[in-house]
Amino acid sequence: MVEEEAKSLPMELSEKGGVENNGFVQNEGFDDKETDTSNQEEIPKTCNVDVDLAAMEELALKPYAGMPKEVLLKFSSQARYRVTREILFWLIIAAAVMLVCATIAIIALSPKCLDWWQASPIYQIYPRSFKDSNMDGNGDLKGIQEKLDHITYLNIKTIWITSFYKSPLKGLGYGAEDFYDIDPMFGSMSDFENLLAAIHDRGLKVIMDLIPNHTSDKHRWFQLSRNRTGKYTDYYIWQDCTQAAGSVTPPNNWVSVFGNSSWQFDDVRKQCYLHQFGKGQPDLNFRNLAVQQEIHDIIKFWLGKGIDGFSFSAVKFLLEATHLRDEPQVNKSQNPVTITAYSQLYHDYTTTQVGMHDIIRSFRQTMNQFSSEPGRYRFMGSDGDEKEDIEATMMYYGTTFIQEADFPFNFNLIDMKNLSGNSIFEAVNLWMENMPAGKWPNWAVGSPNAARISSRIGKEYVNVMNMLLLTLPGTPVTYYGEEIGMENIPSEDVSEERINSDPVVLVPKKSPMQWDGKVNAGFTEGNSSWLPVNSDYQSVNVEIQMTWSNSTLNLYRELALLRNELPIHRGWMCYIWNDSNVFVYVRELDGLDRVFMMVLNFGQESTVDLKAIVPGLPSEAIIRLSTNFNNAGKAVNTKLIKTEMGEGLVLEYKTAKPVHTMEAFQGNCFVAEKACYSSAFNLLYINC
C-alpha cells in the first residue's frame, strides 16, 4: 500500500505541472550506456516540485531598458500599459489643440506692432553740413558713415538724408540735374551703397528726399524739351509770352515761392516755362503720363538699391490749372503791377489741384510693390505744407480705403508765431483733433528751412522743446544739431559770394555740425568749411556734452530711451492743463497703473495745483526726468508743482483710475494705435 502510494506520487506531481530535475552531471564524458540500470530504483531519477509556471514566467520577464521587440510586445497589450499610453496620447492631443487655440487667440487679440517708422525718432541730416571726410570743406556720404555711432548713441533707428542727387546745389540741392546719380560733392554711388550697407548692418533704416515737382534747368530732359525733341517736348510747362524791348510779358500774374514772376523766357525755345521755385528749377508737366512714369522709374531705382522710404517734397505744386487765369489778390486794392511776393496772392490755381492726390497715391502703389517682404515696409512721407488749411493737410493721409502717405510732415511746432503754454497746446491739439482715426501723428521742431530752436525761441527753451517732441504720441523728427542745442550763425558770417551764388543759404543760416572743440568743430580737417562754424563750438559740441550729465545731449538721449516705456510708446495722451506759461498732459495705457505726466514751462516761472484739476491724483509724484538732471528721482507735491522758465518735468505716479476714463477729460484724450496691457500674461491686447 505504501509502495503504491510512493509510486503514484511522481505521477501526480507531473500532472500538476511540476518540474523535473535531472540532477548535476559530474562528468560530461560519462557514457549513458555504462550506467548500471539495475540500481535505478535505488537512485531517484527525478525530483518533482509543485511550481506555478505562469508565476515563474512573470517573475522571469519584466520590462527592462533595451528589451527586444518580442519582449516589448508581451507587455504593450496589457491593460495597465495600454490605458496609460492612451491617456498620455489624448492628453498630448488636447494640449496641442489648446496651444493652437491659444496662439490663434493671442494673434487675434494682439494689437498691430508699431512699424519701424513709428517706433523710433527720425534724425534728419543735411549731408553738406554733417561731416566732411575728404577735407574739401563739404560734408559727404562717407562723413555720415563715419558718424553712425552718434545716431545709435542717441537711441535713434531712422536716418533721413536730404537731397544728394547730382545738381547745381542751389536751393539746398532741390533741383536735380540727374535723379539717378550722386552729386560728386557728396561722393559716388559706391559711397552711397557702402553707407546704405553700414546703416542696415547697425539695424538702422534710411529714407531720402525726392522732389518730383521740378528739375534743374541743367537736366537732360529740360535740354531736350527746350529743343522740342521727341517725347520730351511737353515734359515741362511751356507757354507763349511776349518779349519786347528786353522785357517779357508773362502769361499771367503767377508768382514763384521765391518772389517775382513764376515764368521765365527761354531764348532757345522762344517760349516761357513755369517755375514755382527758382528760375533754374523748371516745373515738370505732370499732366503728361510719360513724366509720371519717369518718376515711378526713379522710385523703383532707389528702392531697388535698398532704401527704406521716401519723403516727397513740394507735392502740392505737382499740378496747375490749365486755364492759366490770374490768381486772386490778397489785397484787391493793390496795383497788380506791384505784386512780386508769394504771400500777395491766393494760390488757387497753382497748388492742390484736382488729380494731385491721385498722382501721390500712384507713388504709394509703386512703393507697395517693394513692401511685400516681411520687415521691409517702405515708408512714405510728404510735406502737406498747408499751414492755413489743416483739412487739406490731412488729405495726404489718404482715406480709409486708399492709402497715401504714412503721414504728412507736421511743422505746427515750428510755425508758431508766439511761444506760450497756450500756443503749444493749440499747435498740438490742431493736429490731434483733425487727424483721421487710426492714423499716426508726427512732430518736428527743426527743419532745413527753419531757424534753430535756440535762435527761433531762445536757448532756455531748447531742452523743454526736445522734451515735448519726444514725449508726444507719434514719430518725432529731429534736425541735426538740435540734440546739442546749436544756434544759427549770424548772416554777416556768410560771405557775399555764398549769398550771391545761392540766396537760399540765408534761409537756414545753420552752420556745420559741431563734433568737438578742435578747429572747425571737428567737422572737417581741411582749412575751412563751406559755411563757417558757429563761434560757440568749443562749449556746444557732441564730445564735451557726452561728459556732462546735465547736458542737452544726454537729456535728449534719456528722453529717447523713455520712449520705450509702454505708456509713451503707444498709450493715450490727455491734456490736463494749459495757460500762458505751462502745458500739462499725461501718457497712460489701459491695464497699466503707471502714468507719466509732463509739466512743461514755455513762459515764466509758474506754480500749478494739479491735484485740484485731476480727481484721484496721488498727493506725490516722482520726477522721472527733468531738464535739470539734479531733480531726477525727487518727490514733488502735486498740489504745488513749481517750474522755472523753460523747465520741463516728466513725473511718474501710480493710479487705478487713468485720466482717459474720467468723464471730465473725455474730449481731451487721443490714442493712435490703441492697446491694453495684461499684467497676468505680460502682453498687449486690443479688446479693452
Side-chain angles (χ1 to χ4, degrees), residues 136-277:
D136 68 350
N138 295 290
D140 46 49
L141 298 180
K142 283 185 177 180
I144 296 175
Q145 186 172 343
E146 288 178 8
K147 292 299 183 179
L148 289 180
D149 286 343
H150 177 66
I151 310 299
T152 56
Y153 178 79
L154 294 174
N155 300 301
I156 288 175
K157 301 291 185 183
T158 304
I159 303 171
W160 172 8
I161 306 177
T162 61
S163 180
F164 51 81
Y165 305 103
K166 184 178 181 181
S167 76
L169 293 174
K170 293 186 178 182
L172 300 174
Y174 287 157
E177 182 178 337
D178 186 350
F179 286 107
Y180 294 94
D181 201 3
I182 309 293
D183 194 277
M185 178 181 289
F186 301 131
S188 64
M189 185 61 74
S190 177
D191 293 336
F192 172 77
E193 291 167 351
N194 291 336
L195 171 61
L196 188 63
I199 287 172
H200 287 160
D201 285 346
R202 284 171 166 79
L204 308 178
K205 302 288 186 180
V206 60
I207 61 178
M208 58 186 284
D209 273 339
L210 180 57
I211 305 90
N213 177 71
H214 53 266
T215 70
S216 164
D217 58 1
K218 308 296 183 186
H219 198 289
R220 183 177 67 92
W221 298 344
F222 186 78
Q223 296 304 315
L224 292 169
S225 184
R226 73 194 309 193
N227 286 288
R228 304 178 188 264
T229 305
K231 68 174 184 178
Y232 299 100
T233 300
D234 295 325
Y235 262 41
Y236 296 83
I237 300 170
W238 297 94
Q239 289 293 324
D240 292 329
C241 51
T242 58
Q243 184 181 33
S247 64
V248 176
T249 303
N252 53 36
N253 73 341
W254 295 356
V255 174
S256 82
V257 171
F258 297 149
N260 297 316
S261 176
S262 58
W263 296 97
Q264 179 68 27
F265 184 77
D266 181 62
D267 288 327
V268 176
R269 183 155 167 160
K270 304 303 180 182
Q271 281 186 308
C272 284
Y273 63 84
L274 178 72
H275 61 90
Q276 297 214 55
F277 290 87

Side-chain angles (χ1 to χ4, degrees), residues 652-664:
E652 184 178 358
Y653 63 90
K654 290 190 174 184
T655 182
K657 192 174 182 181
V659 172
H660 73 269
T661 63
M662 299 179 185
E663 187 175 350

Side-chain angles (χ1 to χ4, degrees), residues 80-99:
R80 57 178 171 174
Y81 296 110
R82 187 181 69 253
V83 173
T84 303
R85 187 171 64 249
E86 290 179 355
I87 291 173
L88 288 174
F89 172 78
W90 289 111
L91 282 175
I92 292 172
I93 294 297
V97 171
M98 290 177 64
L99 184 61

